[in-house]
Amino acid sequence: MTAPLHIVVLMGGWSGERPVSLMSGAGVADALESLGHRVTRIDMDRNVATRLAEAKPDLVFNALHGAPGEDGTVQGMLDLMGIPYTHSGLATSVIAVDKVLTKNQLVPHGIPMPGGRMVKSAELFEGDPLPRPYVVKPVNEGSSLGVAIVTQDGNYGTPIGRDVAGPWQDFAELLAEPYIRGRELTTAVLGDRALGVTELRPKSGWYDFDAKYTDGMTEHVFPAQIPDEITDACKALAADAHRLLGCKGASRSDFRWDDERGVDGLFLLEVNTQPGMTPLSLVPEQAAHCGISYPELVQWIVDEALGRK
C-alpha cells in the first residue's frame, strides 16, 4: 500500500451530467477512504479555485462530467495552480470533448468514424441536411444529452417542426451524422490496455441518458457476443484512439456496429476522457470482469496520475 494522500474529489458542477458526476464522485471518495486516504469532497462551484487553495491537496481526482470539468477548463485551472489531477490533460480534453475535433484528429490515422457535417439548427426547419435516417447531436455534450434520431417516418415532422422539442431548441449549431443501424458496443482503456467489449442492449428505445443511468433499463453483455474479429477491432481502435488523443488514466470508446457489414460496419462514435464511475458505469464493470476491484481501479487511476505507472 502506498502512503496515504490528501485527495480532493471534484464532482457535481453545473453541466447536464451533474447527477452522474455526484454519483461518480461519491463512489470514488468512498473507495479512497477505504484505502486509507484523506478525502475532501468538493461540489464544484464558482469559488472552486479558492476552495482548492485552502484544501492544499496532494491530488485532485476529477470526477466531473461535461463542461467545465471535461473540456479543458478545469484542467487549465489545475495546471496554473500546480495541482496534479487524474485523467487527461488540457489539450486532450479540449479535443476529445468536441466530436468534430476528435474526427479531425483520428480519421486521418485510419480510425473509422461516421461522416456528416455541422449545421445551423435553423437549417433543419427548411429541410434535411442528410438523407433520413440521420442523427443530430451537440458537438460537445456527453451521456447522449441532446441527441435526436430523425427517422424516415417524420418523427419530428417533415421538415423538422420549429416548435417540436429537440436539441435544435437549445443549440444554435448541431452535428448531423448518418444513422448507423446495428449494435451499441463500448471498450474501456486503462493506460495502454483495452479491457474488453461490452454490448449495451436497452430494454426499450435506444441508449439515451435514461437508459444509461436508470438501473434495469439496459442489459450489459460482457464479454459481448460478437465475432472475435469485431472484439479485436474494438480493442485495437479504442487503444489507438486513447493514444492518438493523448488520453491519460481511463478512457472509454463508444462504437456502433452494423452487424450486416462485418468489420466494415464498425464505427467509433466518441472517446470519453472522464468515463463514469457510478455503480452502473462501464469502466468499473469491465475492470471487475478483468479482476480489478473498484478500489483497485481508483488507486490505479491515482497512481497513474502521480506518475507511478
Side-chain angles (χ1 to χ4, degrees):
M1 172 67 187
T2 55
L5 302 169
H6 177 206
I7 299 176
V8 162
V9 178
L10 196 55
M11 66 182 92
W14 50 83
S15 81
E17 297 177 80
R18 170 181 170 82
V20 183
S21 174
L22 289 172
M23 287 191 289
S24 288
V28 167
D30 289 347
L32 289 169
E33 287 177 337
S34 76
L35 293 166
H37 299 294
R38 180 162 70 94
V39 176
T40 299
R41 294 163 166 83
I42 293 182
D43 184 347
M44 182 171 160
D45 59 18
R46 304 289 180 178
N47 296 317
V48 64
T50 299
R51 296 169 70 187
L52 285 168
E54 291 171 350
K56 297 182 174 62
D58 299 308
L59 175 81
V60 166
F61 195 109
N62 187 352
L64 293 163
H65 303 312
E70 198 166 355
D71 64 358
T73 304
V74 162
Q75 289 79 5
M77 176 191 69
L78 293 170
D79 286 340
L80 284 172
M81 296 182 73
I83 302 174
Y85 54 92
T86 63
H87 299 86
S88 296
L90 190 156
T92 295
S93 300
V94 168
I95 294 170
V97 79
D98 186 301
K99 296 174 178 65
V100 173
L101 292 179
T102 300
K103 290 184 185 187
N104 293 343
Q105 180 76 2
L106 297 182
V107 171
H109 292 276
I111 305 292
M113 300 185 74
R117 64 183 181 89
M118 294 297 296
V119 298
K120 301 288 187 185
S121 292
E123 291 180 45
L124 302 172
F125 311 137
E126 307 299 328
D128 292 323
L130 300 173
R132 297 191 181 200
Y134 62 91
V135 178
V136 289
K137 62 182 75 170
V139 73
N140 58 1
E141 291 282 348
S143 291
S144 299
L145 289 171
V147 176
I149 301 173
V150 183
T151 62
Q152 300 282 9
D153 59 10
N155 55 334
Y156 293 106
T158 306
I160 291 173
R162 186 179 296 271
D163 297 325
V164 176
W168 40 83
Q169 294 186 336
D170 300 313
F171 301 91
E173 285 191 306
L174 294 165
L175 174 61
E177 295 179 337
Y179 174 74
I180 299 166
R181 66 158 302 280
R183 298 158 71 172
E184 195 94 25
L185 307 174
T186 192
T187 294
V189 176
L190 297 182
D192 58 0
R193 179 189 177 190
L195 299 184
V197 182
T198 299
E199 180 176 4
L200 305 161
R201 298 178 181 172
K203 300 293 178 64
S204 62
W206 60 285
Y207 193 54
D208 60 5
F209 185 91
D210 289 337
K212 287 182 177 182
Y213 300 113
T214 305
D215 196 8
M217 285 190 64
T218 298
E219 180 185 5
H220 295 185
V221 181
F222 185 91
Q225 303 305 297
I226 55 177
D228 289 346
E229 68 170 352
I230 303 302
T231 295
D232 293 344
C234 285
K235 293 172 69 173
L237 291 170
D240 285 347
H242 184 102
R243 174 179 55 82
L244 289 165
L245 290 171
C247 296
K248 302 295 183 184
S251 73
R252 195 192 75 243
S253 290
D254 297 335
F255 298 90
R256 287 286 288 182
W257 176 48
D258 183 342
D259 52 7
E260 294 180 354
R261 297 177 56 194
V263 73
D264 291 336
L266 183 65
F267 295 89
L268 174 69
L269 297 181
E270 63 180 328
V271 178
N272 300 273
T273 58
Q274 304 263 136
M277 294 289 286
T278 77
L280 297 179
S281 294
L282 292 150
V283 172
E285 186 176 72
Q286 288 194 6
H289 280 287
C290 295
I292 304 168
S293 70
Y294 188 96
E296 288 171 338
L297 171 63
V298 170
Q299 184 65 54
W300 184 94
I301 293 171
V302 166
D303 288 342
E304 198 271 352
L306 293 173
R308 295 172 176 169
K309 295 291 181 186

